[in-house]
Each structure stands twice: as C-alpha cells, then as structure tokens.
Amino acid sequence: MKKSILISMNVAWLSLGCNNDVTIAEKQPVFSASPQNTDLGTVMVGEEHIVPLRLASLYSDLQVIGVEVQNIMGNYCFYTGSLPTVAAGTNLEIEISYLPEVAGLHQCKITIQGDTEPPEHELMIFAHAVTPNLQAYPNVLDFGMVEVGESEAMTLSIHNDSSISTDITSFNLGDSQFSILQPTPITLEAESTALLTVEFTPTSESAADSTLTALLDSPAAIQSIELIGNNCALGNPSVYDVDADG
C-alpha cells in the first residue's frame, strides 16, 4: 500500500511507496513579491508616481538583501529605501519612485533578492510619459478704440492637443487694464478646448500694449498672447478705421 504523509506547515509531501522508498516533493516558495506587472498608463513628464510592491514571507523570516532597478533606455525609476526584514507569516510594502524627465514609453525591471527560496523575484513597471501640447488662438487680441471707463471683451481659445490633462494655475497680463474673467486654476482636460474672456478697461486714453502669459502645473508652455488697445499705430488698421474710409 502506498502512503502519503503531509509534513506540518505544508513544507513538503513525504511519499512512501510499496518498497518504502521515500520521495519528497518540491518545497513550496516562502518568498513572494507582487504585483508582477504595474502599468501606470499615461502620466505627465515631471510628475512623480509612487509604485508600492508587496513582499511576503510564508514560513520563515525574509531578509531582503538587494533591490536592483534596471531602467530600459532612460533613468526614471528609483529605489532609495532600506533593505527590510519581513517576519514569517507577514507582508510589507516597499516603494519604487517613477519620475520621468522626458516623454516616451518607459519600462523598468525591479529585481528583489532575498535570503530564502526562491532567491529573487522580477517585477515590471510600465508607463507612457507625455508633455501636454497646448495651442492658443488668436495670438494677438486687438481691442481697438475703447472709451475710458468702458470695457471691451474678446475670446481667447486654448486647446490641449494631448492625451493628458493639465492646469493653468495663473496668468500674467503685465497691465492692469487687461484682465481675464475666469478664475484660476483652469483645468484643460485631454483633447479639450477652454474659452477665456479677456477684457480691456482703459483707465486713460494712452495706447496700451502688453503680453499675456500663462503659468501651468506641467513642463508644457503656451505661446504668449499680445494684447493691444487704443493703439492705432501698433494695432490692426481695420479695427481702428471706424468710419471705413481706409
């Protein structure tokens, strides 16, 4: 009669055959790491993401003796933590930092080495880093002649032609006679357009000429917009030709 005996802690199966030969099945792993693959999807260049990796020890204490980070064509994944000990029957997390400085498809391999079986695990992190591409139209806003104390408004269109959102955190208009009516921050979703109302309220009859710039929460940039008012010499002649006589 063939007999099988289960050794405590599920460490191994002991099998006794008819001739009393003893065979021991392969020992179950005591060290595990997860997840095997982490896909961060589309992320913004310059934005840090923390990737938690879970380590577990099943039957004995685990001493992590190495965490090797291999970046594939780049330098964007880092590990700066210690080499922890995982107590038997418990788990803990270590954190990998992903901080892309350039756009592209990125992947890095994390090799975690322990002093138990199996001796190491390889985990992968994937991401697509992009920089928002923003376009503004028109690049000149000429308000023409506006009486002192009155206001004239024009529309500025900003389009986010990328697969990730970004925020306009503030505007610099350079001249208090110009203002933007929408409050900041303004979120530009992926593949979307924001319409902004720019207003000119002259406090004198002098010609006004300024530049509008936008500050973003990303490395992206929007071209500067020229703002003109009560400035026939610099502005568009057709705007100031109120009597249409050329």
Side-chain angles (χ1 to χ4, degrees):
M1 178 182 296
K2 186 175 181 180
K3 299 179 181 179
S4 294
I5 302 174
L6 179 63
I7 304 300
S8 62
M9 299 294 292
N10 289 332
V11 174
W13 280 93
L14 180 65
S15 179
L16 301 178
C18 296
N19 58 1
N20 290 326
D21 291 339
V22 177
T23 58
I24 299 178
E26 183 179 353
K27 192 176 182 179
Q28 294 187 20
V30 298
F31 166 32
S32 64
S34 61
Q36 187 71 34
N37 296 296
T38 300
D39 190 347
L40 298 176
T42 302
V43 302
M44 186 182 299
V45 169
E47 185 176 86
E48 183 177 20
H49 292 258
I50 302 300
V51 181
L53 302 178
R54 183 176 297 274
L55 310 182
S57 180
L58 299 181
Y59 306 127
S60 62
D61 292 350
L62 161 68
Q63 176 61 54
V64 177
I65 59 177
V67 178
E68 178 184 350
V69 178
Q70 180 183 357
N71 292 287
I72 311 301
M73 298 183 64
N75 191 30
Y76 32 79
C77 286
F78 309 92
Y79 179 69
T80 58
S82 61
L83 300 178
T85 298
V86 186
T90 67
N91 60 74
L92 58 76
E93 289 184 349
I94 64 172
E95 295 181 340
I96 305 297
S97 297
Y98 169 71
L99 180 58
E101 296 182 352
V102 296
L105 293 172
H106 297 157
Q107 57 179 309
C108 53
K109 180 172 70 174
I110 314 299
T111 302
I112 303 174
Q113 301 168 328
D115 63 350
T116 59
E117 292 295 329
E120 67 181 31
H121 284 278
E122 292 183 352
L123 311 174
M124 297 297 298
I125 297 173
F126 305 91
H128 180 201
V130 301
T131 299
N133 179 29
L134 306 180
Q135 302 292 331
Y137 180 83
N139 57 8
V140 177
L141 293 179
D142 190 343
F143 294 86
M145 296 300 300
V146 182
E147 297 291 333
V148 174
E150 295 185 0
S151 296
E152 182 70 24
M154 298 188 71
T155 298
L156 176 66
S157 173
I158 299 180
H159 181 64
N160 179 9
D161 185 24
S162 60
S163 58
I164 194 168
S165 66
T166 188
D167 287 344
I168 301 175
T169 57
S170 63
F171 293 99
N172 183 2
L173 294 101
D175 186 334
S176 60
Q177 297 179 105
F178 298 100
S179 62
I180 293 181
L181 301 188
Q182 285 78 13
T184 53
I186 298 171
T187 298
L188 286 167
E189 300 293 346
E191 303 293 344
S192 71
T193 299
L195 299 179
L196 307 180
T197 303
V198 184
E199 194 171 73
F200 173 52
T201 305
T203 57
S204 73
E205 295 180 353
S206 300
D209 179 23
S210 189
T211 301
L212 184 158
T213 57
L215 299 180
L216 309 173
D217 69 343
S218 71
I222 306 176
Q223 75 269 26
S224 298
I225 307 301
E226 187 174 9
L227 305 176
I228 300 173
N230 290 347
N231 195 333
C232 183
L234 185 62
N236 183 352
S238 63
V239 176
Y240 295 89
D241 188 13
V242 294
D243 56 6
D245 62 357

PDB file of all heavy atoms in Angstrom, residues 144-148 175 177-178 200-209 228-232 240:
ATOM      1  N   GLY A 144      -9.103  97.504 -30.229  1.00  0.00           N
ATOM      2  CA  GLY A 144      -9.499  98.731 -30.912  1.00  0.00           C
ATOM      3  C   GLY A 144      -9.625  99.901 -29.941  1.00  0.00           C
ATOM      4  O   GLY A 144      -9.022  99.922 -28.861  1.00  0.00           O
ATOM      5  N   MET A 145     -10.445 100.874 -30.340  1.00  0.00           N
ATOM      6  CA  MET A 145     -10.647 102.068 -29.516  1.00  0.00           C
ATOM      7  C   MET A 145     -11.737 101.799 -28.477  1.00  0.00           C
ATOM      8  O   MET A 145     -12.852 101.381 -28.826  1.00  0.00           O
ATOM      9  CB  MET A 145     -11.038 103.253 -30.389  1.00  0.00           C
ATOM     10  CG  MET A 145      -9.944 103.682 -31.369  1.00  0.00           C
ATOM     11  SD  MET A 145      -8.395 104.172 -30.553  1.00  0.00           S
ATOM     12  CE  MET A 145      -8.972 105.544 -29.541  1.00  0.00           C
ATOM     13  N   VAL A 146     -11.400 102.035 -27.225  1.00  0.00           N
ATOM     14  CA  VAL A 146     -12.349 101.855 -26.129  1.00  0.00           C
ATOM     15  C   VAL A 146     -12.290 103.097 -25.252  1.00  0.00           C
ATOM     16  O   VAL A 146     -11.203 103.552 -24.859  1.00  0.00           O
ATOM     17  CB  VAL A 146     -12.014 100.598 -25.286  1.00  0.00           C
ATOM     18  CG1 VAL A 146     -13.054 100.412 -24.177  1.00  0.00           C
ATOM     19  CG2 VAL A 146     -11.946  99.358 -26.179  1.00  0.00           C
ATOM     20  N   GLU A 147     -13.446 103.658 -24.968  1.00  0.00           N
ATOM     21  CA  GLU A 147     -13.509 104.857 -24.144  1.00  0.00           C
ATOM     22  C   GLU A 147     -13.064 104.555 -22.716  1.00  0.00           C
ATOM     23  O   GLU A 147     -13.265 103.452 -22.201  1.00  0.00           O
ATOM     24  CB  GLU A 147     -14.928 105.411 -24.123  1.00  0.00           C
ATOM     25  CG  GLU A 147     -15.451 105.879 -25.482  1.00  0.00           C
ATOM     26  CD  GLU A 147     -14.728 107.127 -25.968  1.00  0.00           C
ATOM     27  OE1 GLU A 147     -14.227 107.898 -25.113  1.00  0.00           O
ATOM     28  OE2 GLU A 147     -14.663 107.331 -27.198  1.00  0.00           O
ATOM     29  N   VAL A 148     -12.482 105.573 -22.080  1.00  0.00           N
ATOM     30  CA  VAL A 148     -12.077 105.440 -20.679  1.00  0.00           C
ATOM     31  C   VAL A 148     -13.297 105.129 -19.822  1.00  0.00           C
ATOM     32  O   VAL A 148     -14.345 105.755 -19.963  1.00  0.00           O
ATOM     33  CB  VAL A 148     -11.388 106.719 -20.186  1.00  0.00           C
ATOM     34  CG1 VAL A 148     -11.102 106.638 -18.685  1.00  0.00           C
ATOM     35  CG2 VAL A 148     -10.102 106.971 -20.964  1.00  0.00           C
ATOM     36  N   ASP A 175      -0.358  94.379 -17.498  1.00  0.00           N
ATOM     37  CA  ASP A 175      -1.009  95.693 -17.459  1.00  0.00           C
ATOM     38  C   ASP A 175      -2.376  95.488 -16.817  1.00  0.00           C
ATOM     39  O   ASP A 175      -3.186  94.687 -17.294  1.00  0.00           O
ATOM     40  CB  ASP A 175      -1.142  96.256 -18.876  1.00  0.00           C
ATOM     41  CG  ASP A 175      -1.680  97.690 -18.914  1.00  0.00           C
ATOM     42  OD1 ASP A 175      -2.395  98.088 -17.969  1.00  0.00           O
ATOM     43  OD2 ASP A 175      -1.401  98.401 -19.907  1.00  0.00           O
ATOM     44  N   GLN A 177      -4.953  97.129 -16.934  1.00  0.00           N
ATOM     45  CA  GLN A 177      -6.105  97.493 -17.768  1.00  0.00           C
ATOM     46  C   GLN A 177      -6.690  96.265 -18.469  1.00  0.00           C
ATOM     47  O   GLN A 177      -7.828  96.310 -18.935  1.00  0.00           O
ATOM     48  CB  GLN A 177      -5.702  98.547 -18.802  1.00  0.00           C
ATOM     49  CG  GLN A 177      -5.249  99.870 -18.187  1.00  0.00           C
ATOM     50  CD  GLN A 177      -4.834 100.863 -19.265  1.00  0.00           C
ATOM     51  OE1 GLN A 177      -5.563 101.816 -19.571  1.00  0.00           O
ATOM     52  NE2 GLN A 177      -3.660 100.644 -19.845  1.00  0.00           N
ATOM     53  N   PHE A 178      -5.894  95.184 -18.535  1.00  0.00           N
ATOM     54  CA  PHE A 178      -6.355  93.921 -19.115  1.00  0.00           C
ATOM     55  C   PHE A 178      -6.630  92.929 -17.982  1.00  0.00           C
ATOM     56  O   PHE A 178      -5.916  92.887 -16.979  1.00  0.00           O
ATOM     57  CB  PHE A 178      -5.296  93.337 -20.059  1.00  0.00           C
ATOM     58  CG  PHE A 178      -4.974  94.209 -21.236  1.00  0.00           C
ATOM     59  CD1 PHE A 178      -3.835  95.014 -21.237  1.00  0.00           C
ATOM     60  CD2 PHE A 178      -5.805  94.231 -22.351  1.00  0.00           C
ATOM     61  CE1 PHE A 178      -3.528  95.821 -22.324  1.00  0.00           C
ATOM     62  CE2 PHE A 178      -5.511  95.035 -23.444  1.00  0.00           C
ATOM     63  CZ  PHE A 178      -4.371  95.833 -23.428  1.00  0.00           C
ATOM     64  N   PHE A 200     -10.650  94.425 -21.712  1.00  0.00           N
ATOM     65  CA  PHE A 200      -9.824  95.636 -21.689  1.00  0.00           C
ATOM     66  C   PHE A 200     -10.671  96.782 -21.162  1.00  0.00           C
ATOM     67  O   PHE A 200     -11.707  97.122 -21.729  1.00  0.00           O
ATOM     68  CB  PHE A 200      -9.312  95.948 -23.099  1.00  0.00           C
ATOM     69  CG  PHE A 200      -8.584  97.250 -23.227  1.00  0.00           C
ATOM     70  CD1 PHE A 200      -7.533  97.576 -22.371  1.00  0.00           C
ATOM     71  CD2 PHE A 200      -8.940  98.168 -24.212  1.00  0.00           C
ATOM     72  CE1 PHE A 200      -6.853  98.787 -22.492  1.00  0.00           C
ATOM     73  CE2 PHE A 200      -8.264  99.375 -24.351  1.00  0.00           C
ATOM     74  CZ  PHE A 200      -7.218  99.685 -23.484  1.00  0.00           C
ATOM     75  N   THR A 201     -10.220  97.366 -20.050  1.00  0.00           N
ATOM     76  CA  THR A 201     -10.909  98.500 -19.438  1.00  0.00           C
ATOM     77  C   THR A 201      -9.893  99.619 -19.258  1.00  0.00           C
ATOM     78  O   THR A 201      -9.151  99.654 -18.255  1.00  0.00           O
ATOM     79  CB  THR A 201     -11.519  98.114 -18.076  1.00  0.00           C
ATOM     80  OG1 THR A 201     -12.364  96.975 -18.239  1.00  0.00           O
ATOM     81  CG2 THR A 201     -12.338  99.263 -17.500  1.00  0.00           C
ATOM     82  N   PRO A 202      -9.783 100.528 -20.236  1.00  0.00           N
ATOM     83  CA  PRO A 202      -8.744 101.568 -20.160  1.00  0.00           C
ATOM     84  C   PRO A 202      -9.005 102.571 -19.038  1.00  0.00           C
ATOM     85  O   PRO A 202     -10.148 102.935 -18.758  1.00  0.00           O
ATOM     86  CB  PRO A 202      -8.819 102.243 -21.532  1.00  0.00           C
ATOM     87  CG  PRO A 202     -10.217 101.981 -22.004  1.00  0.00           C
ATOM     88  CD  PRO A 202     -10.597 100.642 -21.458  1.00  0.00           C
ATOM     89  N   THR A 203      -7.932 102.947 -18.400  1.00  0.00           N
ATOM     90  CA  THR A 203      -8.009 103.981 -17.355  1.00  0.00           C
ATOM     91  C   THR A 203      -7.503 105.324 -17.871  1.00  0.00           C
ATOM     92  O   THR A 203      -7.555 106.327 -17.151  1.00  0.00           O
ATOM     93  CB  THR A 203      -7.173 103.555 -16.136  1.00  0.00           C
ATOM     94  OG1 THR A 203      -5.825 103.307 -16.550  1.00  0.00           O
ATOM     95  CG2 THR A 203      -7.744 102.292 -15.514  1.00  0.00           C
ATOM     96  N   SER A 204      -7.004 105.337 -19.106  1.00  0.00           N
ATOM     97  CA  SER A 204      -6.580 106.581 -19.753  1.00  0.00           C
ATOM     98  C   SER A 204      -6.716 106.397 -21.255  1.00  0.00           C
ATOM     99  O   SER A 204      -6.964 105.290 -21.743  1.00  0.00           O
ATOM    100  CB  SER A 204      -5.130 106.931 -19.379  1.00  0.00           C
ATOM    101  OG  SER A 204      -4.227 106.066 -20.032  1.00  0.00           O
ATOM    102  N   GLU A 205      -6.520 107.464 -22.003  1.00  0.00           N
ATOM    103  CA  GLU A 205      -6.622 107.396 -23.457  1.00  0.00           C
ATOM    104  C   GLU A 205      -5.312 106.971 -24.109  1.00  0.00           C
ATOM    105  O   GLU A 205      -5.239 106.851 -25.331  1.00  0.00           O
ATOM    106  CB  GLU A 205      -7.063 108.756 -24.009  1.00  0.00           C
ATOM    107  CG  GLU A 205      -8.467 109.158 -23.566  1.00  0.00           C
ATOM    108  CD  GLU A 205      -8.886 110.515 -24.125  1.00  0.00           C
ATOM    109  OE1 GLU A 205      -8.017 111.175 -24.742  1.00  0.00           O
ATOM    110  OE2 GLU A 205     -10.051 110.901 -23.944  1.00  0.00           O
ATOM    111  N   SER A 206      -4.304 106.719 -23.313  1.00  0.00           N
ATOM    112  CA  SER A 206      -2.998 106.329 -23.844  1.00  0.00           C
ATOM    113  C   SER A 206      -3.070 104.946 -24.474  1.00  0.00           C
ATOM    114  O   SER A 206      -3.892 104.102 -24.098  1.00  0.00           O
ATOM    115  CB  SER A 206      -1.955 106.321 -22.721  1.00  0.00           C
ATOM    116  OG  SER A 206      -1.830 107.609 -22.134  1.00  0.00           O
ATOM    117  N   ALA A 207      -2.193 104.722 -25.435  1.00  0.00           N
ATOM    118  CA  ALA A 207      -2.132 103.416 -26.088  1.00  0.00           C
ATOM    119  C   ALA A 207      -1.685 102.349 -25.093  1.00  0.00           C
ATOM    120  O   ALA A 207      -0.829 102.588 -24.247  1.00  0.00           O
ATOM    121  CB  ALA A 207      -1.165 103.472 -27.272  1.00  0.00           C
ATOM    122  N   ALA A 208      -2.304 101.190 -25.208  1.00  0.00           N
ATOM    123  CA  ALA A 208      -1.966 100.065 -24.331  1.00  0.00           C
ATOM    124  C   ALA A 208      -1.401  98.922 -25.162  1.00  0.00           C
ATOM    125  O   ALA A 208      -1.937  98.583 -26.220  1.00  0.00           O
ATOM    126  CB  ALA A 208      -3.197  99.593 -23.563  1.00  0.00           C
ATOM    127  N   ASP A 209      -0.325  98.359 -24.677  1.00  0.00           N
ATOM    128  CA  ASP A 209       0.312  97.227 -25.353  1.00  0.00           C
ATOM    129  C   ASP A 209       0.944  96.346 -24.288  1.00  0.00           C
ATOM    130  O   ASP A 209       1.825  96.791 -23.555  1.00  0.00           O
ATOM    131  CB  ASP A 209       1.364  97.714 -26.349  1.00  0.00           C
ATOM    132  CG  ASP A 209       2.070  96.570 -27.055  1.00  0.00           C
ATOM    133  OD1 ASP A 209       1.494  95.471 -27.120  1.00  0.00           O
ATOM    134  OD2 ASP A 209       3.211  96.782 -27.521  1.00  0.00           O
ATOM    135  N   ILE A 228      -3.497  94.446 -27.236  1.00  0.00           N
ATOM    136  CA  ILE A 228      -3.407  95.812 -27.755  1.00  0.00           C
ATOM    137  C   ILE A 228      -4.741  96.512 -27.543  1.00  0.00           C
ATOM    138  O   ILE A 228      -5.810  95.922 -27.753  1.00  0.00           O
ATOM    139  CB  ILE A 228      -3.055  95.819 -29.258  1.00  0.00           C
ATOM    140  CG1 ILE A 228      -1.710  95.130 -29.494  1.00  0.00           C
ATOM    141  CG2 ILE A 228      -3.031  97.240 -29.815  1.00  0.00           C
ATOM    142  CD1 ILE A 228      -1.387  94.943 -30.967  1.00  0.00           C
ATOM    143  N   GLY A 229      -4.691  97.775 -27.143  1.00  0.00           N
ATOM    144  CA  GLY A 229      -5.898  98.582 -27.015  1.00  0.00           C
ATOM    145  C   GLY A 229      -5.585 100.056 -27.170  1.00  0.00           C
ATOM    146  O   GLY A 229      -4.529 100.520 -26.726  1.00  0.00           O
ATOM    147  N   ASN A 230      -6.487 100.775 -27.837  1.00  0.00           N
ATOM    148  CA  ASN A 230      -6.303 102.217 -28.064  1.00  0.00           C
ATOM    149  C   ASN A 230      -4.928 102.511 -28.666  1.00  0.00           C
ATOM    150  O   ASN A 230      -4.258 103.479 -28.293  1.00  0.00           O
ATOM    151  CB  ASN A 230      -6.472 102.997 -26.749  1.00  0.00           C
ATOM    152  CG  ASN A 230      -7.911 103.005 -26.285  1.00  0.00           C
ATOM    153  OD1 ASN A 230      -8.827 102.655 -27.040  1.00  0.00           O
ATOM    154  ND2 ASN A 230      -8.143 103.393 -25.034  1.00  0.00           N
ATOM    155  N   ASN A 231      -4.520 101.659 -29.586  1.00  0.00           N
ATOM    156  CA  ASN A 231      -3.175 101.770 -30.130  1.00  0.00           C
ATOM    157  C   ASN A 231      -3.243 101.628 -31.650  1.00  0.00           C
ATOM    158  O   ASN A 231      -2.935 100.593 -32.221  1.00  0.00           O
ATOM    159  CB  ASN A 231      -2.274 100.688 -29.533  1.00  0.00           C
ATOM    160  CG  ASN A 231      -0.802 100.954 -29.772  1.00  0.00           C
ATOM    161  OD1 ASN A 231      -0.425 101.613 -30.736  1.00  0.00           O
ATOM    162  ND2 ASN A 231       0.036 100.430 -28.882  1.00  0.00           N
ATOM    163  N   CYS A 232      -3.626 102.694 -32.302  1.00  0.00           N
ATOM    164  CA  CYS A 232      -3.797 102.674 -33.751  1.00  0.00           C
ATOM    165  C   CYS A 232      -2.481 102.443 -34.475  1.00  0.00           C
ATOM    166  O   CYS A 232      -2.430 101.760 -35.493  1.00  0.00           O
ATOM    167  CB  CYS A 232      -4.427 103.978 -34.214  1.00  0.00           C
ATOM    168  SG  CYS A 232      -4.768 104.051 -35.993  1.00  0.00           S
ATOM    169  N   TYR A 240      -9.343 100.031 -36.194  1.00  0.00           N
ATOM    170  CA  TYR A 240      -9.435 101.434 -35.792  1.00  0.00           C
ATOM    171  C   TYR A 240     -10.104 102.314 -36.857  1.00  0.00           C
ATOM    172  O   TYR A 240     -10.385 103.479 -36.619  1.00  0.00           O
ATOM    173  CB  TYR A 240      -8.022 101.958 -35.495  1.00  0.00           C
ATOM    174  CG  TYR A 240      -7.416 101.253 -34.300  1.00  0.00           C
ATOM    175  CD1 TYR A 240      -6.692 100.091 -34.461  1.00  0.00           C
ATOM    176  CD2 TYR A 240      -7.583 101.762 -33.017  1.00  0.00           C
ATOM    177  CE1 TYR A 240      -6.144  99.410 -33.375  1.00  0.00           C
ATOM    178  CE2 TYR A 240      -7.048 101.112 -31.922  1.00  0.00           C
ATOM    179  CZ  TYR A 240      -6.342  99.934 -32.109  1.00  0.00           C
ATOM    180  OH  TYR A 240      -5.804  99.298 -31.019  1.00  0.00           O
TER     181      TYR A 240
END
